[in-house]
Amino acid sequence: WGETNASVVIISKNFDSFDKIIDLNLKLSPSECEGEYLLKCEWIPESELMFVAVCGTVVHVFDLKRAESNSCKATTHFALAYDDVLIRSAVMIGSLARDTNTEGKVNGTRTKLAILLDNGRLHFIDLRIDEEGDLEDQGENFIECGAGLSFPSAGICRYGGCSPMGKGSTISSLGEGVLLTYLNQCNLLLYQCVSSCCVAMVLDSDGSICGTFEFLPSLTSSNELMGQNDISGPYTHFEELGIVNKNGNSYYRVSCVGKSSRMNQSRLLVIDFNQKDTFISELSWPLENSGGLELSNYGSYHFVGTSVFSTPYLINSTAGYVSDETRLFERAFLAVLSSAGSILIFGEDCNIVQDQSTITQTQLHSSQLPNFSKSLQLTENVASRRRSNIHIFEELINVSEVDELIFGGDCVGKDPKAAKKNLSLNNNDFLVSPSRDGGTLTASLSTVASYDSTN
């Protein structure tokens, strides 16, 4: 199992082909070790050329400036110093506080890579990029895991039904490690182990853990969800859905996927939380609208991927005209891919005139933002960095049937028009992936397209 190859692709301007493919030299030998597989690739924040490739026993850092002949070797390696542990998960923490020189200018970029081992212990790798765009630490480095990083555990229930840990207690592991997730907007690192709760770790400006709290229990009861099934972890596919306002209070909104304790099928959860309260609800797809989606047989599918996007919309406007009375809001959408090949899209309620509780507001002052740091205060710089950049669209139109819509990629082959016909709403045909490992499908509008946006 697992991936052993990775590449960086440069897409053409028309989004219908690849201009260049750069293969990464991962030096993996799966036959020699069960951990010699690629776990993930992730770009280093504020860098367009550097990224990390996390494998079972080593972390590689690549710099595309050093690529030669469509191939790139890693400039830095971080290898585990012991053979009895494996990396289970890793995540890049956003840009951290940086040093300044005597003239007050910022010196390069600094970030951290958080690593979760199979024994549930944590380790942080400090990554610094200098003013010339080069990684400061290059060559071979070893990760001395030892006893792991200790973190506060007061108030956390290690397993379902046990008592919370006492004041001032610390711990380095909650069991077999499963997943790390970083929530950029609220600056939380989510930590999960098998059969334990999901722990949220509060990070300071240096990327260090300054506090923790129980984000989700190991088992969320049906009574709390007002549903029919209990939902258990480990929770996966976390997505941030912005900030919502309920009764004058602001909450971060996050979605994730758990499993029904009865049927073991995937279930969607939405969590609204701030420093005082947490609200958990289940997100379900109406069965009466699931024809052809193969969702009626709950045990036959699971969710394999999620993504989030948003669209702005105006209240108190006519034909897109913005006046002093017009209010701009952002509507978040959650797209979920099932193992049956169906894409389910959920959108926030837009009934803002009667109920503003489910609307993500974009004009939030820093004092309104929920905060989990010790001071419970956000500076203006932090607040502005986490606020979404929204632009006004006069009109959104459906382009699925226009002639200028062009499909590309290796799934399409040599006849884009035939592929477009197969993908039309009233056609039962489909596209076949050229490889069992998957394929690429792109969609773009030709440059000759012109639409009237004055409405």
Side-chain angles (χ1 to χ4, degrees), residues 1-61:
W1 65 274
E3 299 291 339
T4 57
N5 299 308
S7 302
V8 175
V9 298
I10 300 176
I11 304 177
S12 66
K13 293 182 179 180
N14 293 328
F15 300 99
D16 58 356
S17 62
F18 295 151
D19 283 347
K20 190 175 183 179
I21 300 178
I22 303 175
D23 295 324
L24 307 180
N25 189 352
L26 297 175
K27 297 182 179 180
L28 296 178
S29 302
S31 59
E32 299 179 3
C33 176
E34 63 176 356
E36 289 293 314
Y37 292 98
L38 177 66
L39 298 178
K40 70 181 304 183
C41 289
E42 188 170 350
W43 292 99
I44 293 179
E46 300 186 18
S47 175
E48 297 179 354
L49 297 172
M50 302 187 71
F51 58 92
V52 297
V54 182
C55 305
T57 59
V58 64
V59 175
H60 302 290
V61 183

Short mmCIF file of all heavy atoms in Angstrom, two decimals, residues 1-61:
data_model
loop_
_atom_site.label_atom_id
_atom_site.label_comp_id
_atom_site.label_asym_id
_atom_site.label_seq_id
_atom_site.Cartn_x
_atom_site.Cartn_y
_atom_site.Cartn_z
N TRP A 1 0.83 -1.19 0.00
CA TRP A 1 0.00 0.00 0.00
C TRP A 1 0.87 1.24 0.00
O TRP A 1 2.05 1.19 0.28
CB TRP A 1 -0.90 0.03 1.24
CG TRP A 1 -0.14 0.15 2.53
CD1 TRP A 1 0.40 -0.85 3.27
CD2 TRP A 1 0.19 1.36 3.21
NE1 TRP A 1 1.04 -0.35 4.37
CE2 TRP A 1 0.94 1.01 4.36
CE3 TRP A 1 -0.07 2.70 2.95
CZ2 TRP A 1 1.42 1.96 5.26
CZ3 TRP A 1 0.42 3.64 3.85
CH2 TRP A 1 1.14 3.27 4.98
N GLY A 2 0.26 2.40 -0.29
CA GLY A 2 0.99 3.66 -0.20
C GLY A 2 1.59 4.10 -1.51
O GLY A 2 1.77 3.32 -2.44
N GLU A 3 1.92 5.39 -1.57
CA GLU A 3 2.52 5.97 -2.76
C GLU A 3 4.04 5.98 -2.62
O GLU A 3 4.59 6.15 -1.52
CB GLU A 3 2.01 7.41 -2.95
CG GLU A 3 0.50 7.52 -3.13
CD GLU A 3 0.03 6.94 -4.45
OE1 GLU A 3 0.88 6.82 -5.37
OE2 GLU A 3 -1.15 6.61 -4.57
N THR A 4 4.72 5.83 -3.74
CA THR A 4 6.19 5.83 -3.73
C THR A 4 6.77 6.86 -4.69
O THR A 4 7.99 7.05 -4.71
CB THR A 4 6.74 4.45 -4.10
OG1 THR A 4 6.22 4.07 -5.39
CG2 THR A 4 6.33 3.41 -3.07
N ASN A 5 5.92 7.52 -5.49
CA ASN A 5 6.38 8.50 -6.46
C ASN A 5 5.64 9.82 -6.27
O ASN A 5 4.47 9.84 -5.85
CB ASN A 5 6.18 8.00 -7.89
CG ASN A 5 6.95 6.73 -8.17
OD1 ASN A 5 8.15 6.65 -7.92
ND2 ASN A 5 6.26 5.73 -8.67
N ALA A 6 6.30 10.92 -6.60
CA ALA A 6 5.67 12.24 -6.53
C ALA A 6 6.31 13.13 -7.58
O ALA A 6 7.49 12.98 -7.92
CB ALA A 6 5.84 12.84 -5.14
N SER A 7 5.53 14.07 -8.09
CA SER A 7 5.99 15.00 -9.11
C SER A 7 5.38 16.37 -8.88
O SER A 7 4.33 16.50 -8.25
CB SER A 7 5.63 14.51 -10.52
OG SER A 7 6.17 13.22 -10.77
N VAL A 8 6.03 17.37 -9.42
CA VAL A 8 5.49 18.73 -9.47
C VAL A 8 5.15 19.02 -10.92
O VAL A 8 5.99 18.82 -11.81
CB VAL A 8 6.50 19.77 -8.94
CG1 VAL A 8 5.96 21.18 -9.12
CG2 VAL A 8 6.80 19.51 -7.47
N VAL A 9 3.93 19.46 -11.17
CA VAL A 9 3.49 19.72 -12.54
C VAL A 9 3.22 21.20 -12.73
O VAL A 9 2.72 21.87 -11.81
CB VAL A 9 2.23 18.89 -12.91
CG1 VAL A 9 2.54 17.41 -12.82
CG2 VAL A 9 1.06 19.25 -12.02
N ILE A 10 3.56 21.70 -13.89
CA ILE A 10 3.27 23.08 -14.27
C ILE A 10 2.21 23.03 -15.35
O ILE A 10 2.42 22.46 -16.42
CB ILE A 10 4.54 23.79 -14.78
CG1 ILE A 10 5.61 23.79 -13.68
CG2 ILE A 10 4.21 25.22 -15.21
CD1 ILE A 10 6.93 24.38 -14.11
N ILE A 11 1.04 23.59 -15.05
CA ILE A 11 -0.11 23.51 -15.95
C ILE A 11 -0.05 24.63 -16.98
O ILE A 11 0.40 25.74 -16.70
CB ILE A 11 -1.42 23.60 -15.13
CG1 ILE A 11 -1.44 22.49 -14.07
CG2 ILE A 11 -2.64 23.47 -16.03
CD1 ILE A 11 -2.64 22.54 -13.16
N SER A 12 -0.52 24.35 -18.18
CA SER A 12 -0.53 25.34 -19.26
C SER A 12 -1.50 26.47 -18.94
O SER A 12 -2.36 26.35 -18.06
CB SER A 12 -0.93 24.66 -20.58
OG SER A 12 -2.28 24.21 -20.51
N LYS A 13 -1.37 27.57 -19.67
CA LYS A 13 -2.22 28.73 -19.43
C LYS A 13 -3.69 28.43 -19.69
O LYS A 13 -4.57 29.06 -19.09
CB LYS A 13 -1.76 29.88 -20.32
CG LYS A 13 -0.39 30.43 -19.95
CD LYS A 13 -0.01 31.61 -20.82
CE LYS A 13 1.36 32.17 -20.42
NZ LYS A 13 1.74 33.33 -21.26
N ASN A 14 -3.98 27.50 -20.58
CA ASN A 14 -5.37 27.14 -20.87
C ASN A 14 -5.89 26.03 -19.97
O ASN A 14 -7.04 25.58 -20.14
CB ASN A 14 -5.50 26.69 -22.33
CG ASN A 14 -5.25 27.82 -23.31
OD1 ASN A 14 -5.55 28.98 -23.02
ND2 ASN A 14 -4.71 27.50 -24.47
N PHE A 15 -5.06 25.56 -19.04
CA PHE A 15 -5.45 24.53 -18.07
C PHE A 15 -5.90 23.23 -18.75
O PHE A 15 -6.73 22.50 -18.21
CB PHE A 15 -6.58 25.04 -17.16
CG PHE A 15 -6.22 26.23 -16.35
CD1 PHE A 15 -6.60 27.50 -16.74
CD2 PHE A 15 -5.47 26.09 -15.20
CE1 PHE A 15 -6.26 28.62 -16.00
CE2 PHE A 15 -5.11 27.20 -14.45
CZ PHE A 15 -5.51 28.47 -14.85
N ASP A 16 -5.35 22.94 -19.90
CA ASP A 16 -5.76 21.73 -20.62
C ASP A 16 -4.61 20.74 -20.80
O ASP A 16 -4.80 19.68 -21.40
CB ASP A 16 -6.35 22.08 -21.99
CG ASP A 16 -5.39 22.87 -22.86
OD1 ASP A 16 -4.28 23.22 -22.37
OD2 ASP A 16 -5.75 23.16 -24.01
N SER A 17 -3.42 21.07 -20.28
CA SER A 17 -2.29 20.15 -20.42
C SER A 17 -1.21 20.55 -19.43
O SER A 17 -1.31 21.58 -18.76
CB SER A 17 -1.73 20.17 -21.85
OG SER A 17 -1.25 21.46 -22.17
N PHE A 18 -0.16 19.73 -19.37
CA PHE A 18 0.97 20.01 -18.50
C PHE A 18 2.13 20.53 -19.35
O PHE A 18 2.56 19.87 -20.29
CB PHE A 18 1.41 18.75 -17.75
CG PHE A 18 0.39 18.24 -16.77
CD1 PHE A 18 0.33 16.89 -16.48
CD2 PHE A 18 -0.50 19.10 -16.16
CE1 PHE A 18 -0.60 16.40 -15.58
CE2 PHE A 18 -1.44 18.63 -15.26
CZ PHE A 18 -1.49 17.27 -14.96
N ASP A 19 2.63 21.71 -19.01
CA ASP A 19 3.80 22.24 -19.71
C ASP A 19 5.08 21.56 -19.27
O ASP A 19 6.01 21.39 -20.07
CB ASP A 19 3.92 23.76 -19.47
CG ASP A 19 2.94 24.55 -20.30
OD1 ASP A 19 2.35 23.97 -21.23
OD2 ASP A 19 2.76 25.75 -20.03
N LYS A 20 5.12 21.14 -17.99
CA LYS A 20 6.35 20.55 -17.47
C LYS A 20 6.03 19.66 -16.29
O LYS A 20 5.14 19.97 -15.49
CB LYS A 20 7.34 21.65 -17.06
CG LYS A 20 8.74 21.15 -16.74
CD LYS A 20 9.67 22.32 -16.47
CE LYS A 20 11.09 21.84 -16.23
NZ LYS A 20 12.03 22.98 -15.99
N ILE A 21 6.74 18.55 -16.20
CA ILE A 21 6.60 17.63 -15.06
C ILE A 21 7.98 17.42 -14.46
O ILE A 21 8.91 17.00 -15.15
CB ILE A 21 6.00 16.28 -15.48
CG1 ILE A 21 4.60 16.48 -16.08
CG2 ILE A 21 5.92 15.34 -14.29
CD1 ILE A 21 3.96 15.19 -16.57
N ILE A 22 8.12 17.74 -13.17
CA ILE A 22 9.38 17.59 -12.46
C ILE A 22 9.24 16.44 -11.47
O ILE A 22 8.45 16.49 -10.53
CB ILE A 22 9.76 18.88 -11.71
CG1 ILE A 22 9.83 20.06 -12.68
CG2 ILE A 22 11.08 18.71 -10.97
CD1 ILE A 22 10.08 21.40 -11.99
N ASP A 23 9.99 15.37 -11.70
CA ASP A 23 9.95 14.20 -10.82
C ASP A 23 10.82 14.42 -9.59
O ASP A 23 11.92 14.98 -9.68
CB ASP A 23 10.43 12.96 -11.58
CG ASP A 23 9.51 12.58 -12.73
OD1 ASP A 23 8.29 12.74 -12.57
OD2 ASP A 23 10.02 12.15 -13.78
N LEU A 24 10.32 13.98 -8.44
CA LEU A 24 11.04 14.14 -7.18
C LEU A 24 11.76 12.84 -6.83
O LEU A 24 11.17 11.76 -6.90
CB LEU A 24 10.07 14.51 -6.06
CG LEU A 24 9.17 15.72 -6.32
CD1 LEU A 24 8.28 15.97 -5.12
CD2 LEU A 24 10.01 16.96 -6.63
N ASN A 25 13.00 12.98 -6.47
CA ASN A 25 13.82 11.82 -6.12
C ASN A 25 13.62 11.54 -4.63
O ASN A 25 14.28 12.11 -3.77
CB ASN A 25 15.29 12.10 -6.43
CG ASN A 25 16.15 10.86 -6.29
OD1 ASN A 25 15.69 9.82 -5.82
ND2 ASN A 25 17.40 10.98 -6.69
N LEU A 26 12.69 10.62 -4.31
CA LEU A 26 12.35 10.32 -2.92
C LEU A 26 13.23 9.22 -2.32
O LEU A 26 13.26 9.05 -1.11
CB LEU A 26 10.89 9.90 -2.81
CG LEU A 26 9.85 10.96 -3.20
CD1 LEU A 26 8.45 10.38 -3.16
CD2 LEU A 26 9.95 12.17 -2.29
N LYS A 27 13.90 8.44 -3.15
CA LYS A 27 14.78 7.35 -2.70
C LYS A 27 14.06 6.38 -1.76
O LYS A 27 14.56 6.03 -0.71
CB LYS A 27 16.01 7.94 -2.00
CG LYS A 27 16.90 8.79 -2.89
CD LYS A 27 18.12 9.29 -2.13
CE LYS A 27 19.03 10.12 -3.04
NZ LYS A 27 20.23 10.61 -2.31
N LEU A 28 12.88 5.96 -2.18
CA LEU A 28 12.10 5.03 -1.37
C LEU A 28 12.33 3.60 -1.83
O LEU A 28 12.42 3.33 -3.02
CB LEU A 28 10.61 5.37 -1.44
CG LEU A 28 10.20 6.73 -0.85
CD1 LEU A 28 8.71 6.95 -1.03
CD2 LEU A 28 10.57 6.81 0.62
N SER A 29 12.39 2.69 -0.87
CA SER A 29 12.54 1.25 -1.16
C SER A 29 11.49 0.49 -0.37
O SER A 29 11.77 -0.05 0.72
CB SER A 29 13.94 0.77 -0.79
OG SER A 29 14.93 1.49 -1.49
N PRO A 30 10.24 0.43 -0.86
CA PRO A 30 9.15 -0.19 -0.10
C PRO A 30 9.41 -1.65 0.26
O PRO A 30 8.92 -2.14 1.28
CB PRO A 30 7.95 -0.06 -1.04
CG PRO A 30 8.32 1.03 -1.99
CD PRO A 30 9.81 0.96 -2.14
N SER A 31 10.16 -2.36 -0.56
CA SER A 31 10.40 -3.78 -0.29
C SER A 31 11.29 -4.01 0.93
O SER A 31 11.28 -5.08 1.52
CB SER A 31 11.04 -4.45 -1.51
OG SER A 31 12.28 -3.82 -1.83
N GLU A 32 12.04 -2.97 1.32
CA GLU A 32 12.97 -3.12 2.43
C GLU A 32 12.36 -2.72 3.77
O GLU A 32 12.81 -3.16 4.81
CB GLU A 32 14.22 -2.28 2.16
CG GLU A 32 14.98 -2.69 0.90
CD GLU A 32 16.19 -1.82 0.66
OE1 GLU A 32 16.45 -0.94 1.51
OE2 GLU A 32 16.87 -2.01 -0.36
N CYS A 33 11.35 -1.87 3.75
CA CYS A 33 10.76 -1.39 5.00
C CYS A 33 9.31 -1.02 4.76
O CYS A 33 8.98 -0.38 3.76
CB CYS A 33 11.53 -0.18 5.53
SG CYS A 33 10.83 0.58 7.01
N GLU A 34 8.41 -1.41 5.70
CA GLU A 34 7.00 -1.13 5.53
C GLU A 34 6.69 0.36 5.64
O GLU A 34 5.62 0.81 5.23
CB GLU A 34 6.19 -1.88 6.59
CG GLU A 34 6.52 -1.44 8.03
CD GLU A 34 5.63 -2.12 9.04
OE1 GLU A 34 4.74 -2.87 8.61
OE2 GLU A 34 5.85 -1.92 10.25
N GLY A 35 7.62 1.12 6.18
CA GLY A 35 7.40 2.56 6.32
C GLY A 35 7.93 3.37 5.18
O GLY A 35 7.87 4.60 5.22
N GLU A 36 8.48 2.74 4.14
CA GLU A 36 9.05 3.47 3.02
C GLU A 36 7.97 3.85 2.01
O GLU A 36 7.97 3.39 0.86
CB GLU A 36 10.15 2.64 2.35
CG GLU A 36 11.41 2.50 3.18
CD GLU A 36 12.12 3.82 3.34
OE1 GLU A 36 12.28 4.54 2.35
OE2 GLU A 36 12.51 4.14 4.49
N TYR A 37 7.06 4.70 2.45
CA TYR A 37 6.00 5.19 1.59
C TYR A 37 5.83 6.68 1.81
O TYR A 37 6.18 7.22 2.86
CB TYR A 37 4.67 4.48 1.87
CG TYR A 37 4.66 3.02 1.47
CD1 TYR A 37 4.88 2.02 2.41
CD2 TYR A 37 4.43 2.66 0.15
CE1 TYR A 37 4.86 0.68 2.05
CE2 TYR A 37 4.43 1.32 -0.23
CZ TYR A 37 4.64 0.34 0.72
OH TYR A 37 4.63 -0.99 0.34
N LEU A 38 5.29 7.35 0.80
CA LEU A 38 5.04 8.78 0.88
C LEU A 38 3.72 9.03 1.60
O LEU A 38 2.68 8.51 1.21
CB LEU A 38 5.01 9.38 -0.52
CG LEU A 38 4.68 10.87 -0.62
CD1 LEU A 38 5.79 11.70 0.01
CD2 LEU A 38 4.48 11.27 -2.09
N LEU A 39 3.76 9.82 2.67
CA LEU A 39 2.56 10.16 3.41
C LEU A 39 1.89 11.41 2.85
O LEU A 39 0.67 11.46 2.69
CB LEU A 39 2.89 10.37 4.89
CG LEU A 39 3.44 9.15 5.64
CD1 LEU A 39 3.78 9.53 7.07
CD2 LEU A 39 2.45 8.01 5.61
N LYS A 40 2.67 12.44 2.57
CA LYS A 40 2.09 13.68 2.04
C LYS A 40 3.19 14.59 1.52
O LYS A 40 4.36 14.48 1.91
CB LYS A 40 1.28 14.41 3.12
CG LYS A 40 2.14 15.04 4.22
CD LYS A 40 1.29 15.74 5.27
CE LYS A 40 0.39 16.79 4.71
NZ LYS A 40 -0.37 17.49 5.74
N CYS A 41 2.79 15.51 0.64
CA CYS A 41 3.65 16.61 0.19
C CYS A 41 2.94 17.92 0.52
O CYS A 41 1.72 18.02 0.35
CB CYS A 41 3.91 16.55 -1.32
SG CYS A 41 5.01 15.22 -1.83
N GLU A 42 3.69 18.90 0.98
CA GLU A 42 3.06 20.17 1.38
C GLU A 42 4.05 21.30 1.15
O GLU A 42 5.23 21.22 1.48
CB GLU A 42 2.65 20.12 2.85
CG GLU A 42 1.83 21.32 3.30
CD GLU A 42 1.24 21.13 4.69
OE1 GLU A 42 1.32 20.01 5.22
OE2 GLU A 42 0.71 22.11 5.23
N TRP A 43 3.51 22.39 0.56
CA TRP A 43 4.34 23.57 0.30
C TRP A 43 4.68 24.26 1.61
O TRP A 43 3.88 24.31 2.55
CB TRP A 43 3.61 24.56 -0.60
CG TRP A 43 3.41 24.07 -2.00
CD1 TRP A 43 2.27 23.51 -2.51
CD2 TRP A 43 4.36 24.08 -3.06
NE1 TRP A 43 2.46 23.18 -3.84
CE2 TRP A 43 3.73 23.51 -4.20
CE3 TRP A 43 5.68 24.51 -3.17
CZ2 TRP A 43 4.39 23.38 -5.42
CZ3 TRP A 43 6.33 24.37 -4.39
CH2 TRP A 43 5.69 23.81 -5.49
N ILE A 44 5.88 24.80 1.68
CA ILE A 44 6.28 25.61 2.83
C ILE A 44 5.59 26.96 2.72
O ILE A 44 5.59 27.57 1.64
CB ILE A 44 7.82 25.78 2.87
CG1 ILE A 44 8.48 24.42 3.15
CG2 ILE A 44 8.23 26.81 3.91
CD1 ILE A 44 9.99 24.48 3.20
N PRO A 45 4.97 27.47 3.79
CA PRO A 45 4.26 28.75 3.72
C PRO A 45 5.14 29.87 3.18
O PRO A 45 6.34 29.95 3.48
CB PRO A 45 3.87 29.00 5.19
CG PRO A 45 3.79 27.64 5.80
CD PRO A 45 4.86 26.84 5.12
N GLU A 46 4.52 30.73 2.36
CA GLU A 46 5.16 31.89 1.76
C GLU A 46 6.29 31.51 0.80
O GLU A 46 7.18 32.31 0.52
CB GLU A 46 5.68 32.85 2.83
CG GLU A 46 4.60 33.39 3.75
CD GLU A 46 5.12 34.46 4.69
OE1 GLU A 46 6.20 35.02 4.42
OE2 GLU A 46 4.46 34.72 5.72
N SER A 47 6.28 30.30 0.30
CA SER A 47 7.29 29.87 -0.66
C SER A 47 6.61 29.24 -1.87
O SER A 47 5.68 28.46 -1.72
CB SER A 47 8.26 28.87 -0.03
OG SER A 47 9.16 28.37 -1.00
N GLU A 48 7.07 29.60 -3.05
CA GLU A 48 6.55 29.02 -4.28
C GLU A 48 7.48 27.95 -4.85
O GLU A 48 7.16 27.35 -5.87
CB GLU A 48 6.36 30.12 -5.32
CG GLU A 48 5.33 31.17 -4.92
CD GLU A 48 5.18 32.25 -5.98
OE1 GLU A 48 5.96 32.23 -6.95
OE2 GLU A 48 4.30 33.11 -5.83
N LEU A 49 8.61 27.73 -4.19
CA LEU A 49 9.60 26.81 -4.75
C LEU A 49 10.00 25.70 -3.78
O LEU A 49 10.63 24.73 -4.20
CB LEU A 49 10.87 27.59 -5.17
CG LEU A 49 10.68 28.62 -6.29
CD1 LEU A 49 11.95 29.44 -6.45
CD2 LEU A 49 10.30 27.96 -7.59
N MET A 50 9.66 25.82 -2.52
CA MET A 50 10.13 24.85 -1.53
C MET A 50 8.95 24.14 -0.88
O MET A 50 7.93 24.76 -0.57
CB MET A 50 10.98 25.53 -0.46
CG MET A 50 12.19 26.26 -1.02
SD MET A 50 13.30 26.89 0.25
CE MET A 50 13.98 25.35 0.86
N PHE A 51 9.10 22.84 -0.68
CA PHE A 51 8.05 22.05 -0.04
C PHE A 51 8.69 20.83 0.62
O PHE A 51 9.84 20.48 0.37
CB PHE A 51 6.99 21.63 -1.05
CG PHE A 51 7.51 20.83 -2.19
CD1 PHE A 51 7.54 19.44 -2.16
CD2 PHE A 51 7.99 21.46 -3.32
CE1 PHE A 51 8.03 18.71 -3.22
CE2 PHE A 51 8.50 20.75 -4.39
CZ PHE A 51 8.52 19.36 -4.34
N VAL A 52 7.90 20.20 1.48
CA VAL A 52 8.37 19.02 2.20
C VAL A 52 7.63 17.79 1.68
O VAL A 52 6.46 17.86 1.31
CB VAL A 52 8.18 19.15 3.72
CG1 VAL A 52 9.00 20.30 4.28
CG2 VAL A 52 6.71 19.33 4.07
N ALA A 53 8.33 16.67 1.65
CA ALA A 53 7.74 15.37 1.35
C ALA A 53 7.96 14.49 2.57
O ALA A 53 9.10 14.21 2.95
CB ALA A 53 8.40 14.75 0.11
N VAL A 54 6.86 14.09 3.21
CA VAL A 54 6.92 13.32 4.45
C VAL A 54 6.74 11.85 4.12
O VAL A 54 5.73 11.45 3.53
CB VAL A 54 5.84 13.78 5.44
CG1 VAL A 54 5.95 13.00 6.74
CG2 VAL A 54 5.97 15.27 5.71
N CYS A 55 7.72 11.05 4.50
CA CYS A 55 7.66 9.60 4.30
C CYS A 55 7.63 8.91 5.67
O CYS A 55 7.67 9.56 6.71
CB CYS A 55 8.86 9.13 3.48
SG CYS A 55 9.03 9.97 1.88
N GLY A 56 7.58 7.59 5.66
CA GLY A 56 7.41 6.86 6.89
C GLY A 56 8.57 6.99 7.87
O GLY A 56 8.38 6.95 9.09
N THR A 57 9.77 7.17 7.36
CA THR A 57 10.94 7.24 8.23
C THR A 57 11.80 8.48 8.02
O THR A 57 12.79 8.67 8.72
CB THR A 57 11.84 6.00 8.03
OG1 THR A 57 12.24 5.94 6.65
CG2 THR A 57 11.09 4.73 8.40
N VAL A 58 11.45 9.32 7.07
CA VAL A 58 12.27 10.48 6.76
C VAL A 58 11.42 11.61 6.19
O VAL A 58 10.36 11.36 5.60
CB VAL A 58 13.38 10.10 5.75
CG1 VAL A 58 12.76 9.66 4.42
CG2 VAL A 58 14.38 11.23 5.55
N VAL A 59 11.88 12.84 6.39
CA VAL A 59 11.25 14.02 5.81
C VAL A 59 12.25 14.66 4.86
O VAL A 59 13.39 14.97 5.25
CB VAL A 59 10.82 15.03 6.89
CG1 VAL A 59 10.28 16.30 6.25
CG2 VAL A 59 9.79 14.43 7.82
N HIS A 60 11.85 14.83 3.59
CA HIS A 60 12.70 15.48 2.60
C HIS A 60 12.21 16.91 2.36
O HIS A 60 11.00 17.16 2.32
CB HIS A 60 12.67 14.72 1.26
CG HIS A 60 13.10 13.29 1.35
ND1 HIS A 60 14.40 12.93 1.58
CD2 HIS A 60 12.39 12.14 1.22
CE1 HIS A 60 14.50 11.62 1.60
NE2 HIS A 60 13.28 11.11 1.39
N VAL A 61 13.14 17.83 2.16
CA VAL A 61 12.81 19.20 1.78
C VAL A 61 13.38 19.45 0.39
O VAL A 61 14.59 19.27 0.17
CB VAL A 61 13.38 20.22 2.78
CG1 VAL A 61 12.95 21.63 2.38
CG2 VAL A 61 12.91 19.91 4.20
#
